Structures are given as structure tokens and as C-alpha cells.
Amino acid sequence: MAAVVTASQKVLKPHLLIKGGHALSGELKVSGAKNSALVLMTAALLTEGVVELANVPELTDIQGMAEILGSLGVSVKRRHQAIRLQADNLNHAEPPYELVNGLRASFFCIGPLLGRLGHAKVPLPGGCRIGARPVVEHIKGLKALGAVVNVEHGVVTASVPGSSRRLKGAPIMLDCPSVGATETVLMAAVLAEGVSTIENAAQEPEVQDLAKMLNAMGARISGAGGPVITIEGVERLNGCSYAVMPDRIEAGTFLLAAAITRSSLRVAPIIPEHLNAVLQKLRDCGCKLEIENQGITIIPGELHGVDITTQPFPGFPTDLQAPFMALLATAKGTSVITEKIYENRMQHVAELQRMGASIRLQGNTAVVEGVPQLSAAPVTGSDLRAAAAMVLASLAARGTSQVAGLNHLDRGYAEIEGKLNSAGTQIHRCNPELA
Ligand code: EPU
């Protein structure tokens, strides 16, 4: 496969060579949800019992979380998509900075550690490429439950005063419906004394998945999935077996892969209600969708522009903003895409422009004029979803693209080239460092 690159553009990092213009067909299988699995793994800290998770995606982020839990004394046994966790010998409440730094979701350990042990010391994860990503709301929630929290030298130290070492249930009102803050407070409050409520809670399906698993462990949580969650604290939780829900963002990315190559494809398993806002935009831009048996068949027609604004669930997810922009770069007419969740999640615009997309960026709003054909180029995904957008654009482009940024892509898409190639694409992984 000859890539369209000049000597000065040579990519020496691991990359995908993607030959554009191949249609997809058949069915693509969706893995378990990364953002759900990560938090469900930390929930195992809440019990001495065995937690068996099924449908865990095989991703570098999951490996990172396994290492963090291992550093706390949790026994972690992984076999393909199953993970067995047991925190009966929790000997540590301080995950090391080197591990936390590479994985923001590791901060979620603070809630269950505090609930179970009465103390925790977790380095601040810091910002990332898409924005500052503060944890103010997480800390505010823990304080409301009675924890004493200090942030010093980049480390958050939290402890429960008094001899009982048990947090106290309380009403909590979040300033913004943060997914991470809702999950942190939920995991801290399940073992607290008395009743807690979280108002303005995040309604994302990952929060619902967490509440379902905690209830299977013996927690008493109601209202998850709505704006007010009530948690009646219990003294202890048991182990459980639980299957992670399907990844709605991977599912959306696959539907977009079909749309951008104008191919009919079935994607499964999908819980359609998790993707309503995205499905509506796909219909609005000219795709027909057949929904049956936890799967969706997409049949793209002639595609035209639509406007998108990212919002907390049930609104349009920020994690599909970049992939959808790749599609709209090839749809007839004008689309206006506004990013409202993260302050710096438009870095894919410049890369799409390098592939011939016509996009004007004004702050966090992109005005996209669809072009009839993208052209292959060496491009880099600057974060996980930007990297997915580069893959999609390359599938539709004329020529062979080099997509770098696989350290991001592999965090969230299990076996991406294997899956897409099974449906008809031509993607080849190159690792020059190993050559
Ligand atoms: N925010 C605050 N203060 C806080 C917490 C959050 O202002 O104390 C703001 C953030 O700065 C951001 C917005 O609220 O602008 C949303 O942040 P949220 O806390 O809801 O996000 P998160 O829990 O850090 C999870 C996913 C993200 C996904 C968001 C939104 C995980 C591990 N990550 O992040 O996933 O974008 O929810 O749905 O669950 C991805 O998978 O690519 C990804 C970035």
C-alpha cells in the first residue's frame, strides 16, 4: 500500500495505514463500555467479596486501572474479557502518581477508598488535551458527606474524622452534572450512615450501570439515570457478577464508519436509548436506521449537513463530536457544530482540513461545508475521539492515509483494525519502532 506522503512528512510513530474508498458490509460487534468498566472496577474496592466482571473491553486503559488496583493490594485476575477482582487485603489507600497520571479515571478510586477505609490519598490527575477537567465537584461532594479534604502538592488527602470512620449521608447539589463527580459521590455514599441525595446528578448510562452493579452488591440506590439519585447507606457490600453494558461511543463510531463510506452495516449489541440523540442526527442527515434485537442496521442515503451542539446526556455526547464532524465534512451543505462540554476539543479540525475538509473554526464552533471527496494525508489524532475521527475520515478519503496517535486510539477502541477489516476495510498497523 503506497501512502501519500513526502519525505518530510514521514511518520515514525506507530500508525495505521488506511486505504480509503472501501465499502463496509456485514456486522460489527460492539465491546463493553470503557467508561463503565473503568468505574465498575474501582467499585470492587468497596467489598471484601469477589467481583466478577464480564464483557470488559481489552484496552490499554483497562490494563492501567488493573495496575492501579493491584498497587492498592487488590487481587486482579484477567482472562480476555473477564476480570476477577478481590479487595479482601486492601493494604494501601494511596495509588502512585506515575500510574494515576496516565489515567484520569483512576481518581475515581477516592470515593470507594474513603467509603471502605475512611481515608484515601490520591494524586490529582491534572488536565488533559481536551480541557482542564477539574475535580472540584468530586471534592465538594466528599466534604458534604463529612470527609476532611485537603489538596496540597498536587495530592488530594481525604479522611473521615471520628472513631467510626464512616461517612454521613447528606444532600448534595452538584453545580454541573459531572459524570465523574456523580460516580465518586455515589461510591462514597453507599457505605455512609444514613441517606444521601445527589441533585443535578449526571444522567449518563455509565452512571446507571454503576448504580445497577452497586445494587447487585447490596447497595440501596434509586433514581440513577434521572437528575436526583437517592442512596440509603448500608453497612457492608457483597461481591457480585456483572456484565458491563455495551459501549455506546464505540457503537456510534461504527455507525459513522458505515455512514462516511456510504455502506449498509449492522452494529450490535446496542442499547438504542443510549444513543437517541446520535440516532436522531444520523436520521436528520439522511440515514435510514432499522432497529431490532439490540442491533441497528444503518442504510445511508444522500447525506446533507445538520447542526450539532454537545450536551450532557441525554443530549448529543461530546465523545462523538469529532467522529460526527468527519462525516459532516463529506455531507452536502453546511453544518454548524458547537462543543459545549470541553474547552479544547476542536484539535481535529486542523487535521481534517489537511485532508481537504472545508471547516471554519470560531472559538468552539465549527462551520463545516461538505466537500465531495476528502484526500488521504498523514494525520494525528490528538486525543482518543480525535483519533477515531481521523480513522473515519481516512476510510472515506481518496488514497492511503497514515493515522498516528494510536496511544490515544488504543485507550478506547478494542482491536479497531481487526474489527473494521472484518467488515471490508483495508487497515494495516505499522510500528516503525519494532521494525
Ligand atoms: N467539570 C467541572 N467541575 C468538576 C467536574 C467536571 O467543571 O468538578 C466539567 C469538566 O471540566 C467538563 C464537564 O464538567 O467540562 C464534564 O466533565 P465530567 O466530569 O462529566 O467528565 P468526566 O467524568 O471527567 C467522563 C468520561 C469522558 C466523557 C465525559 C462526558 C470517563 C472515564 N470519562 O469524563 O470520556 O467525555 O464523562 O461524558 O468516564 C472519552 O471517553 O473520550 C472521554 C473523555
Side-chain angles (χ1 to χ4, degrees):
M1 235 185 267
V4 186
V5 271
T6 65
S8 62
Q9 290 173 320
K10 258 189 188 161
V11 178
L12 294 172
K13 294 186 181 134
H15 57 271
L16 298 177
L17 278 183
I18 303 181
K19 191 165 181 212
H22 289 274
L24 279 79
S25 62
E27 177 170 321
L28 278 178
K29 188 176 179 305
V30 178
S31 298
K34 165 184 83 91
N35 288 345
S36 198
L38 287 170
V39 71
L40 298 185
M41 286 172 76
T42 66
L45 289 166
L46 287 162
T47 175
E48 286 178 15
V50 173
V51 170
E52 285 184 314
L53 293 176
N55 201 32
V56 179
E58 296 186 59
L59 299 169
T60 52
D61 267 13
I62 297 292
Q63 185 53 34
M65 184 59 90
E67 283 166 25
I68 286 164
L69 294 177
S71 78
L72 300 173
V74 180
S75 138
V76 184
K77 292 193 178 122
R78 188 166 172 200
R79 208 161 168 258
H80 306 301
Q81 288 165 38
I83 295 194
R84 181 187 189 278
L85 301 145
Q86 189 167 21
D88 55 344
N89 193 19
L90 253 194
N91 50 28
H92 212 58
E94 299 181 26
Y97 175 72
E98 315 80 76
L99 296 180
V100 171
N101 186 37
L103 180 59
R104 279 193 54 82
S106 57
F107 189 73
F108 300 166
C109 289
I110 199 166
L113 283 173
L114 197 58
R116 171 94 181 274
L117 300 176
H119 62 102
K121 200 168 169 184
V122 184
L124 277 171
C128 70
R129 284 164 185 271
I130 56 179
R133 305 187 75 181
V135 288
V136 182
E137 294 300 309
H138 309 52
I139 292 174
K140 202 179 81 181
L142 297 177
K143 282 184 176 169
L145 294 171
V148 175
V149 186
N150 286 306
V151 186
E152 227 176 20
H153 308 302
V155 178
V156 181
T157 308
S159 60
V160 185
S163 54
S164 85
R165 310 234 99 200
R166 221 174 146 197
L167 292 163
K168 296 239 178 332
I172 291 151
M173 163 72 97
L174 297 179
D175 278 351
C176 63
S178 155
V179 176
T182 304
E183 292 169 341
T184 295
V185 173
L186 202 49
M187 287 190 283
V190 279
L191 289 177
E193 202 181 326
V195 177
S196 303
T197 50
I198 310 175
E199 283 188 58
N200 198 22
Q203 302 177 39
E204 267 71 0
E206 291 76 14
V207 172
Q208 300 176 40
D209 215 27
L210 172 63
K212 257 170 85 182
M213 178 170 125
L214 291 172
N215 282 343
M217 293 167 75
R220 294 198 194 123
I221 301 167
S222 57
V228 183
I229 303 178
T230 304
I231 308 126
E232 215 180 299
V234 295
E235 273 184 34
R236 57 192 308 278
L237 293 176
N238 312 308
C240 72
S241 296
Y242 192 81
V244 179
M245 69 179 197
D247 195 309
R248 63 194 169 105
I249 305 301
E250 188 194 28
T253 306
F254 288 166
L255 291 171
L256 289 164
I260 202 166
T261 54
R262 310 300 191 263
S263 314
S264 294
L265 184 82
R266 184 177 142 87
V267 181
I270 293 184
I271 300 174
E273 308 84 74
H274 290 180
L275 271 172
N276 272 342
V278 179
L279 300 182
Q280 192 51 50
K281 290 296 172 189
L282 282 169
R283 287 189 194 98
D284 291 349
C285 77
C287 296
K288 194 171 155 230
L289 301 173
E290 289 170 1
I291 303 178
E292 34 68 56
N293 293 338
Q294 295 236 319
I296 298 181
T297 302
I298 179 166
I299 304 152
E302 189 172 336
L303 300 190
H304 49 84
V306 291
D307 295 346
I308 288 176
T309 300
T310 63
Q311 299 284 357
F313 191 83
F316 189 97
T318 172
D319 295 341
L320 284 173
Q321 178 259 112
F324 217 113
M325 191 184 296
L327 172 67
L328 293 175
T330 70
K332 207 168 173 190
T334 309
S335 304
V336 180
I337 303 175
T338 306
E339 171 60 45
K340 289 260 191 177
I341 305 294
Y342 294 113
E343 61 271 28
N344 198 21
R345 210 177 210 182
M346 282 289 180
Q347 292 179 58
H348 46 283
V349 168
E351 295 299 275
L352 289 173
Q353 285 168 335
R354 300 185 65 245
M355 298 182 77
S358 168
I359 306 173
R360 264 180 302 121
L361 192 57
Q362 293 157 348
N364 266 344
T365 296
V367 181
V368 183
E369 300 289 346
V371 295
Q373 176 81 68
L374 294 173
S375 69
V379 285
T380 300
S382 52
D383 75 273
L384 167 56
R385 310 303 173 185
M390 293 308 119
V391 171
L392 296 184
S394 303
L395 292 177
R398 191 181 58 248
T400 300
S401 300
Q402 287 187 342
V403 177
L406 305 191
N407 52 327
H408 301 301
L409 192 69
D410 293 340
R411 289 184 40 227
Y413 292 91
E415 295 172 70
I416 186 153
E417 69 269 31
K419 286 190 186 187
L420 289 172
N421 284 346
S422 75
T425 62
Q426 280 196 21
I427 307 179
H428 179 65
R429 183 175 288 248
C430 301
N431 193 344
E433 285 153 15
L434 300 179

